[in-house]
Amino acid sequence: MACASGVCTSSSSTFKPEQVIVRATRTATTASSSLAPSPRFPRNDSVSCPNRCKLVARSSCRSFHLRPTQSIGREVPANLLRPDVVQKELEKDPVALWRRYIDWLYQHKELGLYLDVSRIGFTDEFVEQMEPKLQAAFRAMEELERGAIANPDEGRMVGHYWLRNSRLAPTSFLLSQIDNTLEAICKFANDVIGGKIKPPSSPAGRFTQVLSVGIGGSALGPQFVAEALAPDNPPLKIRFIDNTDPAGIDHQIAQLGSELASTLIIVISKSGGTPETRNGLLEVQKAFRDAGLDFSKQGVAITQENSLLDNTARIEGWLARFSMFDWVGGRTSEMSAVGLLPAALQGIDIKEMLAGASLMDEATRASVVKNNPAALLALCWYWASDGVGSKDMVVLPYKDSLLLFSRYLQQLVMESLGKEFDLNGNRVNQGLTVYGNKGSTDQHAYIQQLREGVHNFFVTFIEVLRDRPPGHDWELEPGVTCGDYLFGMLQGTRSALYANNRESITVTVQEVNPRSVGALIALYERAVGIYASLVNINAYHQPGVEAGKKAAAEVLALQKRVLAVLNEASCKEPVEPLTVEEIADLCHAPADIEMIFKIVAHVAANDRALIAEGNCGSPKSIKVFLGECNIEELYT
């Protein structure tokens, strides 16, 4: 199926992973400086790190004592050195490094993507001993794609891979759901862009803006893709409400101004009950009422069928509704309606995104580690962080349009891998911390610490070979373009870090386009799944997030009790201002007194309560009341 307007014009092609011929890598032979097993990270069989000491001097493998480290200034006294840190020296011989680079370089010709893991110091012995774990991970991925219950806690399949190749779906019903949803997205986007679907009261006579309301996976993916791929003058410009911050919501609505009348509102919530998204929806609906506009004529819902949001949109007659599937998690939903509809409305070729992801999915099904880029990433993560998250992953894309990639990966990696228990019920406190900036801004931000400070990280460079569209480049000085400076900064930073034993991975793409962005998303989705298998955790649930939501609901319930107590005191003659201790007693919640104080301070700061005495800098001194009596509240 082909669609007009260029948003979904291509069709996925099949791809057979090229069998890259590689030679065995050379084992590094010299000693060096990195983290050794620490008491903070007790090992067990499921997270063992075979032959981690192969790159460490033999004496340091027997004990955790160091020889004094040399500094330009002076020697560090031996008694100040941490006993749990050993020195690990990476291979520095240029000829050996070049051979290692050639041996381990992965290339996907059709995607124009390269993966260089040569600056991660794993050994041949480590790879050999990880092979059984990797093969088990490959089998787990096969079962997942066949429709196995990959999220046992919630009894759900995990099927985001089917979104870019519906023929993989385990049933014909799911296949038709995927294809029908994609067709509906393409048709709707084309009708909006072409002016067939219009806002009812806009002077422009067509939709000019998109306001996307969602949080977490319903925002981070669409934001990343918009920043990376939206044309300079898209058919519809996009804005996001991705939080329940009133000032942030007001800012987005104010920026729309009179264009609110020509703004398409997309509300994204899988369950339909996400509080932040619900709040954003209510705020936008109020703005529509204040402007005398009919929200239902401009509202679109992306949610599960028969959810609260779906039923609301159906009853109120919203402009359109699109399905989210039970078997697609928020952090892997970019290739669903969640990401595809906003992208298509901006004129981004969503079929090319799907094609890039499908090609990468095919490549990451390879059972030979060197031919599988996701397995190579997972292997490097395991080596660099000892399989227990002992080091952070710093993501540095050297391209402005990829700035939000690190934010996108934060959720994908940290929500998937940050788990307290493994699949056997053992407490493991797993995870990988992800943060990043962009090159070469990083050169003027935190490269100083990465080069010379605490060694608690490894780096992932994202390199883009094409600087500008063909025919648009020019030389700032003889033989040097602006893009050459960016290239030099990336390569120089990589070399400087490695010279000081800081390991790094480099992912290279020819250019930033829908196909390469789709491939990057698919690459990291699969790498996360493989790594989760290596460390024996469930990558597809998020009990910690649910715990935070439950605690937030308890705070709001307590706030209602506090306001009821204050209202009752404010309705007395004379008014009786209350201390925090008195409020806690009347709420029958003395154990929650600190939270009650914070509630009082917040409502007072927002003119919903008055502090009669004292100040918030001295919590025991304050007395508070509402300032007015709400008689109705007394009898509800």
Side-chain angles (χ1 to χ4, degrees), residues 440-502:
S440 64
T441 301
D442 57 12
Q443 198 72 40
H444 303 273
Y446 51 74
I447 290 298
Q448 169 62 34
Q449 175 165 316
L450 298 189
R451 175 64 168 75
E452 298 183 356
V454 58
H455 188 183
N456 62 346
F457 68 91
F458 63 99
V459 173
T460 298
F461 293 103
I462 310 293
E463 178 184 29
V464 180
L465 296 179
R466 170 71 69 181
D467 296 328
R468 282 189 169 120
H472 289 75
D473 225 342
W474 64 284
E475 293 183 351
L476 303 173
E477 55 194 77
V480 180
T481 68
C482 191
D484 293 339
Y485 273 96
L486 188 65
F487 168 78
M489 287 293 185
L490 187 159
Q491 299 301 332
T493 301
R494 174 177 175 268
S495 297
L497 291 177
Y498 191 77
N500 209 27
N501 299 318
R502 271 60 172 163

Side-chain angles (χ1 to χ4, degrees), residues 81 88-89 117 127 144 175 177 185-187 195 222 235 278 303 394 445 459 526 528 550 593 608 625 629 632:
L81 294 173
K88 182 194 70 173
E89 190 71 35
V117 297
V127 175
L144 180 147
L175 184 151
Q177 270 192 317
I185 290 169
C186 289
K187 184 179 187 308
R278 185 211 64 163
T303 185
V394 182
V459 173
R526 184 82 79 178
V528 164
K550 181 180 178 182
I593 189 168
R608 293 156 63 197
F625 66 105
C629 169
E632 292 181 1

Side-chain angles (χ1 to χ4, degrees), residues 117-402:
V117 297
S118 65
R119 265 52 176 184
I120 298 288
F122 57 80
T123 65
D124 290 340
E125 291 84 357
F126 171 77
V127 175
E128 181 180 349
Q129 292 191 29
M130 289 295 291
E131 184 68 20
K133 285 179 177 285
L134 287 162
Q135 292 304 319
F138 297 151
R139 290 191 294 272
M141 290 294 103
E142 290 176 8
E143 291 299 315
L144 180 147
E145 288 195 351
R146 291 194 188 108
I149 301 300
N151 186 353
D153 287 6
E154 300 176 6
R156 292 179 179 176
M157 299 183 292
V158 174
H160 50 273
Y161 298 104
W162 310 332
L163 295 171
R164 42 262 198 169
N165 186 351
S166 60
R167 292 170 297 175
L168 295 174
T171 69
S172 58
F173 174 73
L174 293 180
L175 184 151
S176 64
Q177 270 192 317
I178 296 166
D179 289 347
N180 292 342
T181 300
L182 180 58
E183 183 177 357
I185 290 169
C186 289
K187 184 179 187 308
F188 181 81
N190 285 326
D191 287 348
V192 170
I193 293 172
K196 186 175 180 180
I197 296 177
K198 303 176 182 180
S201 55
S202 167
R206 66 179 185 86
F207 283 106
T208 61
Q209 299 269 354
V210 175
L211 180 60
S212 179
V213 183
I215 195 168
S218 297
L220 291 167
Q223 287 171 327
F224 162 54
V225 168
E227 183 77 10
L229 296 176
D232 293 337
N233 296 293
L236 281 80
K237 297 178 181 178
I238 193 165
R239 293 183 175 276
F240 296 90
I241 291 177
D242 63 350
N243 202 357
T244 189
D245 175 13
I249 294 171
D250 291 347
H251 175 72
Q252 294 300 330
I253 293 173
Q255 289 290 305
L256 290 170
S258 62
E259 282 193 273
L260 186 66
S262 60
T263 297
L264 189 71
I265 311 297
I266 303 178
V267 184
I268 309 173
S269 173
K270 185 175 181 178
S271 67
T274 307
E276 297 93 335
T277 304
R278 185 211 64 163
N279 296 351
L281 168 60
L282 294 176
E283 292 275 1
V284 173
Q285 287 178 324
K286 179 182 181 297
F288 268 72
R289 288 194 301 270
D290 292 346
L293 300 171
D294 185 350
F295 176 86
S296 66
K297 304 302 182 185
Q298 297 173 227
V300 175
I302 300 178
T303 185
Q304 271 190 267
E305 189 175 352
N306 294 322
S307 72
L308 177 62
L309 176 59
D310 187 50
N311 291 333
T312 298
R314 176 175 48 81
I315 292 168
E316 295 181 358
W318 289 19
L319 188 59
R321 295 163 20 235
F322 295 92
S323 294
M324 288 182 72
F325 305 120
D326 177 71
W327 35 267
V328 176
R331 57 187 174 275
T332 55
S333 64
E334 177 55 30
M335 301 293 172
S336 73
V338 171
L340 296 182
L341 179 61
L345 289 166
Q346 296 169 82
I348 296 168
D349 190 339
I350 60 175
K351 279 294 191 71
E352 274 293 284
M353 280 180 58
L354 292 167
S358 181
L359 286 168
M360 181 54 69
D361 288 342
E362 185 67 29
T364 58
R365 293 186 187 108
S367 60
V368 177
V369 175
K370 283 191 173 183
N371 296 344
N372 187 325
L376 287 173
L377 283 179
L379 186 76
C380 291
W381 297 353
Y382 196 109
W383 168 271
S385 71
D386 298 314
V388 292
S390 60
K391 290 188 179 179
D392 303 339
M393 176 160 56
V394 182
V395 180
L396 298 178
Y398 273 63
K399 201 68 172 179
D400 284 5
S401 61
L402 297 180

